[in-house]
Amino acid sequence: MTTYHGGCLCGAVRFSVEVSKAEIDACHCSMCRRWGGGPSLNVQADGPPRFEDEAALGVYRSSQWGERVFCKTCGSSVLWRSADGSFHAVPAAIIGDPEGMALALEIFIDDKPAYYDFAGERKRMTGPEVMAAFGVDTGS
Ligand SMILES: [Zn+2]
Ligand SMILES: [Zn+2]
């Protein structure tokens, strides 16, 4: 378990977070790409980040199962969390691009546009595969 300290572009949002899984996951879903301007590159946290100032945070409920937390001042993407509070992922960049972490998984690979690809081989999952793994019933 390692404690990382994170902050947004403008510095209004600061937090610390515990991470035991030293891996980076990429999400190619259209929501992440709209939210951050590109695929999200996230580290899974062991529980919620401890924010210094909750008032600096904006929260957007992007789906029935997830919320996106951002800085109200500069708009930096700070956190994706499941609506039930059981899963937290922070962008690798916002905790200082931890050394020694490798890109281990790509999800929503079926949502990835053709104009980019990440080099190298790793596990890749489609959106339906991810939903099944998380036990999410998407309805239709
Ligand atoms: Zn900010
Ligand atoms: Zn995504």
Side-chain angles (χ1 to χ4, degrees):
M1 187 90 79
T2 305
T3 301
Y4 290 99
H5 297 273
C8 66
L9 184 59
C10 77
V13 173
R14 292 184 193 284
F15 63 90
S16 60
V17 68
E18 311 295 333
V19 174
S20 58
K21 193 176 170 193
E23 291 180 355
I24 294 170
D25 299 335
C27 184
H28 300 288
C29 84
S30 60
M31 285 192 282
C32 280
R33 290 186 294 102
R34 282 176 188 251
W35 187 43
S40 60
L41 296 160
N42 296 316
V43 175
Q44 187 180 336
D46 298 42
R50 291 177 299 277
F51 291 104
E52 288 181 13
D53 181 11
E54 297 266 349
L57 303 171
V59 178
Y60 176 64
R61 181 75 177 261
S62 55
S63 68
Q64 65 185 59
W65 60 85
E67 290 180 339
R68 294 168 188 272
V69 180
F70 57 94
C71 172
K72 281 199 258 185
T73 301
C74 69
S76 293
S77 304
V78 172
L79 169 70
W80 188 94
R81 64 187 176 202
S82 60
D84 67 2
S86 66
F87 184 93
H88 301 80
V90 295
I94 216 163
I95 56 169
D97 297 317
E99 278 186 38
M101 286 195 191
L103 185 56
L105 173 67
E106 295 181 53
I107 61 173
F108 287 84
I109 194 71
D110 50 332
D111 247 6
K112 184 186 73 59
Y115 59 76
Y116 73 83
D117 279 304
F118 291 148
E121 289 304 316
R122 64 192 60 82
K123 186 176 181 187
R124 294 181 171 91
M125 297 171 76
T126 64
E129 286 170 346
V130 172
M131 292 306 175
F134 273 89
V136 172
D137 179 5
T138 54
S140 55

mmCIF file of all heavy atoms in Angstrom, residues 26-33 40 42 68 80 107-108, ligand 2:
data_model
loop_
_atom_site.group_PDB
_atom_site.id
_atom_site.type_symbol
_atom_site.label_atom_id
_atom_site.label_comp_id
_atom_site.label_asym_id
_atom_site.label_seq_id
_atom_site.Cartn_x
_atom_site.Cartn_y
_atom_site.Cartn_z
ATOM 1 N N ALA A 26 -6.541 1.770 -18.884
ATOM 2 C CA ALA A 26 -7.024 2.760 -19.847
ATOM 3 C C ALA A 26 -8.490 2.492 -20.147
ATOM 4 O O ALA A 26 -8.887 1.344 -20.326
ATOM 5 C CB ALA A 26 -6.218 2.669 -21.138
ATOM 6 N N CYS A 27 -9.275 3.565 -20.190
ATOM 7 C CA CYS A 27 -10.670 3.421 -20.603
ATOM 8 C C CYS A 27 -10.895 4.234 -21.872
ATOM 9 O O CYS A 27 -10.621 5.433 -21.915
ATOM 10 C CB CYS A 27 -11.633 3.878 -19.509
ATOM 11 S SG CYS A 27 -13.356 3.592 -19.983
ATOM 12 N N HIS A 28 -11.404 3.537 -22.892
ATOM 13 C CA HIS A 28 -11.637 4.164 -24.193
ATOM 14 C C HIS A 28 -13.098 4.565 -24.390
ATOM 15 O O HIS A 28 -13.482 4.939 -25.498
ATOM 16 C CB HIS A 28 -11.252 3.186 -25.313
ATOM 17 C CG HIS A 28 -9.822 2.745 -25.285
ATOM 18 N ND1 HIS A 28 -8.786 3.577 -25.632
ATOM 19 C CD2 HIS A 28 -9.255 1.556 -24.945
ATOM 20 C CE1 HIS A 28 -7.626 2.911 -25.534
ATOM 21 N NE2 HIS A 28 -7.888 1.696 -25.109
ATOM 22 N N CYS A 29 -13.925 4.483 -23.339
ATOM 23 C CA CYS A 29 -15.359 4.729 -23.556
ATOM 24 C C CYS A 29 -15.600 6.182 -23.977
ATOM 25 O O CYS A 29 -14.819 7.078 -23.669
ATOM 26 C CB CYS A 29 -16.173 4.348 -22.317
ATOM 27 S SG CYS A 29 -16.268 5.614 -21.037
ATOM 28 N N SER A 30 -16.705 6.383 -24.672
ATOM 29 C CA SER A 30 -16.975 7.718 -25.211
ATOM 30 C C SER A 30 -17.188 8.733 -24.091
ATOM 31 O O SER A 30 -16.872 9.916 -24.256
ATOM 32 C CB SER A 30 -18.184 7.673 -26.143
ATOM 33 O OG SER A 30 -19.330 7.231 -25.445
ATOM 34 N N MET A 31 -17.695 8.290 -22.939
ATOM 35 C CA MET A 31 -17.900 9.231 -21.829
ATOM 36 C C MET A 31 -16.565 9.725 -21.273
ATOM 37 O O MET A 31 -16.383 10.916 -21.039
ATOM 38 C CB MET A 31 -18.749 8.579 -20.727
ATOM 39 C CG MET A 31 -20.209 8.496 -21.092
ATOM 40 S SD MET A 31 -21.260 8.062 -19.671
ATOM 41 C CE MET A 31 -20.954 6.308 -19.575
ATOM 42 N N CYS A 32 -15.623 8.806 -21.066
ATOM 43 C CA CYS A 32 -14.300 9.227 -20.590
ATOM 44 C C CYS A 32 -13.641 10.172 -21.585
ATOM 45 O O CYS A 32 -13.020 11.159 -21.197
ATOM 46 C CB CYS A 32 -13.389 8.015 -20.363
ATOM 47 S SG CYS A 32 -13.681 7.173 -18.796
ATOM 48 N N ARG A 33 -13.766 9.839 -22.866
ATOM 49 C CA ARG A 33 -13.083 10.659 -23.877
ATOM 50 C C ARG A 33 -13.703 12.040 -23.981
ATOM 51 O O ARG A 33 -13.007 13.033 -24.206
ATOM 52 C CB ARG A 33 -13.052 9.922 -25.214
ATOM 53 C CG ARG A 33 -12.101 8.706 -25.146
ATOM 54 C CD ARG A 33 -11.887 7.988 -26.469
ATOM 55 N NE ARG A 33 -13.076 7.354 -26.981
ATOM 56 C CZ ARG A 33 -13.843 7.847 -27.952
ATOM 57 N NH1 ARG A 33 -13.533 8.978 -28.556
ATOM 58 N NH2 ARG A 33 -14.922 7.190 -28.336
ATOM 59 N N SER A 40 -9.091 7.803 -20.753
ATOM 60 C CA SER A 40 -8.642 8.030 -19.373
ATOM 61 C C SER A 40 -7.634 6.950 -18.982
ATOM 62 O O SER A 40 -7.753 5.792 -19.389
ATOM 63 C CB SER A 40 -9.826 8.041 -18.402
ATOM 64 O OG SER A 40 -10.513 6.814 -18.425
ATOM 65 N N ASN A 42 -6.119 5.467 -15.667
ATOM 66 C CA ASN A 42 -6.492 5.529 -14.253
ATOM 67 C C ASN A 42 -5.780 4.505 -13.389
ATOM 68 O O ASN A 42 -5.407 3.431 -13.850
ATOM 69 C CB ASN A 42 -8.001 5.307 -14.111
ATOM 70 C CG ASN A 42 -8.810 6.395 -14.776
ATOM 71 O OD1 ASN A 42 -8.505 7.568 -14.636
ATOM 72 N ND2 ASN A 42 -9.817 5.996 -15.520
ATOM 73 N N ARG A 68 -18.575 11.231 -11.830
ATOM 74 C CA ARG A 68 -17.299 11.834 -12.201
ATOM 75 C C ARG A 68 -17.101 13.094 -11.387
ATOM 76 O O ARG A 68 -17.957 13.974 -11.356
ATOM 77 C CB ARG A 68 -17.288 12.141 -13.704
ATOM 78 C CG ARG A 68 -17.337 10.856 -14.520
ATOM 79 C CD ARG A 68 -17.624 11.081 -15.989
ATOM 80 N NE ARG A 68 -17.833 9.796 -16.647
ATOM 81 C CZ ARG A 68 -16.863 9.049 -17.168
ATOM 82 N NH1 ARG A 68 -15.620 9.491 -17.161
ATOM 83 N NH2 ARG A 68 -17.144 7.890 -17.724
ATOM 84 N N TRP A 80 -13.143 9.028 -10.788
ATOM 85 C CA TRP A 80 -14.347 8.300 -11.195
ATOM 86 C C TRP A 80 -14.677 7.372 -10.053
ATOM 87 O O TRP A 80 -13.797 6.681 -9.532
ATOM 88 C CB TRP A 80 -14.101 7.481 -12.475
ATOM 89 C CG TRP A 80 -15.377 6.878 -13.013
ATOM 90 C CD1 TRP A 80 -16.195 7.407 -13.969
ATOM 91 C CD2 TRP A 80 -15.987 5.629 -12.623
ATOM 92 N NE1 TRP A 80 -17.282 6.584 -14.186
ATOM 93 C CE2 TRP A 80 -17.186 5.488 -13.362
ATOM 94 C CE3 TRP A 80 -15.670 4.631 -11.697
ATOM 95 C CZ2 TRP A 80 -18.036 4.380 -13.226
ATOM 96 C CZ3 TRP A 80 -16.515 3.537 -11.554
ATOM 97 C CH2 TRP A 80 -17.682 3.416 -12.316
ATOM 98 N N ILE A 107 -9.979 -1.032 -21.265
ATOM 99 C CA ILE A 107 -11.401 -1.387 -21.229
ATOM 100 C C ILE A 107 -12.197 -0.530 -22.216
ATOM 101 O O ILE A 107 -11.751 0.524 -22.640
ATOM 102 C CB ILE A 107 -11.989 -1.280 -19.805
ATOM 103 C CG1 ILE A 107 -11.898 0.136 -19.260
ATOM 104 C CG2 ILE A 107 -11.294 -2.274 -18.859
ATOM 105 C CD1 ILE A 107 -12.629 0.330 -17.928
ATOM 106 N N PHE A 108 -13.385 -1.033 -22.531
ATOM 107 C CA PHE A 108 -14.240 -0.428 -23.564
ATOM 108 C C PHE A 108 -13.464 -0.292 -24.874
ATOM 109 O O PHE A 108 -13.568 0.716 -25.568
ATOM 110 C CB PHE A 108 -14.811 0.914 -23.091
ATOM 111 C CG PHE A 108 -15.887 0.762 -22.053
ATOM 112 C CD1 PHE A 108 -15.569 0.609 -20.711
ATOM 113 C CD2 PHE A 108 -17.231 0.732 -22.419
ATOM 114 C CE1 PHE A 108 -16.547 0.442 -19.743
ATOM 115 C CE2 PHE A 108 -18.225 0.564 -21.460
ATOM 116 C CZ PHE A 108 -17.887 0.424 -20.117
HETATM 117 ZN ZN ZN B 2 -14.587 5.241 -19.579
#
